[in-house]
Amino acid sequence: MIIHQTIPLPAPGEADILQALEAQEGTVLRWALTRIDPPLLDVILLA
Amino acid sequence: MKPFTVLSLIPTGIGASFGGYAGDGAPATNLLACAADRLITHPNALNAATFFSRRPNVLYVEGYALDRFVEGDWALRMVCSNRIGLVVDRSAEHTLPSLLNVCNALRASAGLSITGVALTDAPVGARVVIGTNGVSSGEVENPGTLLDAAKKLVDGGAEAVAIACSLEGGDDELDENYLQGRGPDPIGGLEAILSHLVVSQLGIPAAHAPAELPWTPEGVVSPLVAAEACGSYLPCILLGLSHAPRCLPVENRKSGDLTSEDLDLLVAPYSCFGGAPMFACQRKKIPMLAVRENETVLSVHPEALGMEAIVVSSYLEAAGVILAMKEGISLASLRRPLAGVSR
């Protein structure tokens, strides 16, 4: 299954993004910040 | 002199006013390629259904491969041509005759090498999802069946894989807006996901075209999407993949292969700097150029992320910046006032 997830972040920095990605279970196919204030990360995950 | 290499990104599914529709990013992409020695971009910047316009120095590289390339994990190897295999979603089996006609037409008229067609064993189950700000995305129920079919083709000698799936879901209002040249391409994000899957798991060039569109363009549509009202959606990806660079782990690179160290400049719309390539370029100190005129539904600007970027108003100006950088002419010397050098 490939799923789309939207994840709120504490801040829009690369360290916060990487931390959020590491917490995902599965292979990350794609990610992008889609909003800065408040920060939102879109992730496509091969679960 | 070192070849000046530019990466031009126009992320799909975010309503980019240049490149967010059907091949409408090609003129700007080809203009930048005129100014550069080499320009790398991704399929949706060029794909225009039956039409395909690519200058010879434009390298057609799928988005997942681009992410790995900019990170420094993958290298790119130029080729004279690729043998292409076509995967068709079981749900789109009824479109097979028309897809085979496209393949045969391009073999006969463009000399493409298309080695085989594989139907997936089960429906792929690709479904449109609309995310934050109307960004188009998707989910895929059965990625394994798509990978199995693609692997069969690769085992049979295919060096690149074209994918044609049936796409479910969507929204009538978004579809109508898209046909009028407004808002994100409702299927753009899902198409990227399908090609990311194959490239990430098999390490070969891949691109997706819908086996059939979930909407029917009627009458005269926006010029930005008119290419999709003119026939099959498959020709552009077959033409693109036929010369797409191969991707390989950077530790296997040979002389002549491209790596992120060859990259001189990244160009992207000003409002979408939140992707992996921008963070990688910032880290590697690769200059970035942000184009204001290419508006999107996002507001993720480089300044808000602490990124340094040269901001220009248009692709016309971007081409001038590329020429100046390539020829070693300081950008400051082309602007006024010109401040003096001080101790």
Side-chain angles (χ1 to χ4, degrees), chain B residues 7 28-29 50 70 128 145 165 180 183 211 216 256 273 288 307 324 330 340:
Chain B
L7 169 61
T29 302
T50 305
V70 181
V128 171
T145 196
C165 288
Q180 298 307 318
T216 310
F273 263 65
M288 294 187 278
M307 293 179 177
S330 150

Side-chain angles (χ1 to χ4, degrees), chain A residues 8-43:
Chain A
L9 295 178
E14 193 173 17
D16 297 281
I17 293 170
L18 294 177
Q19 195 172 4
L21 294 177
E22 278 170 19
Q24 304 306 308
E25 288 183 11
T27 305
V28 175
L29 294 180
R30 182 191 193 192
W31 61 263
L33 271 177
T34 53
R35 200 168 70 190
I36 288 185
D37 188 16
L40 277 185
L41 184 69
D42 271 17
V43 181

Side-chain angles (χ1 to χ4, degrees), chain B residues 18-277:
Chain B
F18 290 78
Y21 299 90
D24 62 303
T29 302
N30 285 324
L31 171 68
L32 301 186
C34 293
D37 291 310
R38 285 184 296 227
L39 185 132
I40 306 167
T41 194
H42 44 100
N44 69 285
L46 299 174
N47 287 342
T50 305
F51 308 102
F52 188 68
S53 171
R54 178 186 69 89
R55 292 184 67 83
N57 64 333
V58 174
L59 307 180
Y60 182 93
V61 181
E62 198 276 339
Y64 182 89
L66 281 183
D67 289 355
R68 298 273 64 76
F69 169 75
V70 181
E71 280 291 349
D73 302 330
W74 286 8
L76 300 174
R77 178 168 296 169
M78 263 62 77
V79 296
C80 294
S81 67
N82 289 313
R83 291 189 297 271
I84 305 168
L86 171 65
V87 174
V88 179
D89 184 352
R90 178 66 64 176
S91 299
E93 190 171 359
H94 59 283
T95 67
L96 201 48
S98 68
L99 298 175
L100 290 174
N101 281 334
V102 170
C103 291
N104 286 326
L106 286 172
R107 290 174 63 226
S109 66
L112 298 197
S113 176
I114 300 173
T115 56
V117 177
L119 264 177
T120 60
D121 290 334
V124 172
R127 191 175 62 248
V128 171
V129 171
I130 303 300
T132 316
N133 301 330
V135 172
S136 89
S137 183
E139 296 192 332
V140 180
E141 198 169 320
N142 195 356
T145 196
L146 175 55
L147 288 174
D148 288 346
K151 190 161 184 317
K152 267 184 215 162
L153 291 167
V154 171
D155 291 345
E159 295 158 320
V161 170
I163 311 158
C165 288
S166 182
L167 308 178
E168 301 158 17
D171 175 296
D172 288 346
E173 191 181 340
L174 291 178
D175 294 351
E176 185 53 37
N177 282 341
Y178 174 72
L179 291 174
Q180 298 307 318
R182 297 188 300 265
D185 176 353
I187 62 169
L190 178 54
E191 290 198 276
I193 290 166
L194 291 162
S195 59
H196 288 0
L197 171 71
V198 171
V199 175
S200 67
Q201 302 303 302
L202 301 183
I204 53 159
H208 179 270
E212 56 187 341
L213 282 180
W215 58 80
T216 310
E218 288 177 2
V220 176
V221 298
S222 163
L224 303 180
V225 296
E228 293 180 355
C230 297
S232 173
Y233 317 107
L234 184 62
C236 58
I237 66 165
L238 295 176
L239 289 163
L241 289 171
S242 68
H243 292 84
R246 309 234 177 100
C247 22
L248 60 150
V250 75
E251 54 271 24
N252 297 342
R253 71 185 181 278
K254 291 180 181 169
S255 172
D257 293 341
L258 281 180
T259 71
S260 62
E261 290 176 9
D262 296 304
L263 206 49
D264 294 296
L265 182 71
L266 175 147
V267 182
Y270 175 63
S271 58
C272 65
F273 263 65

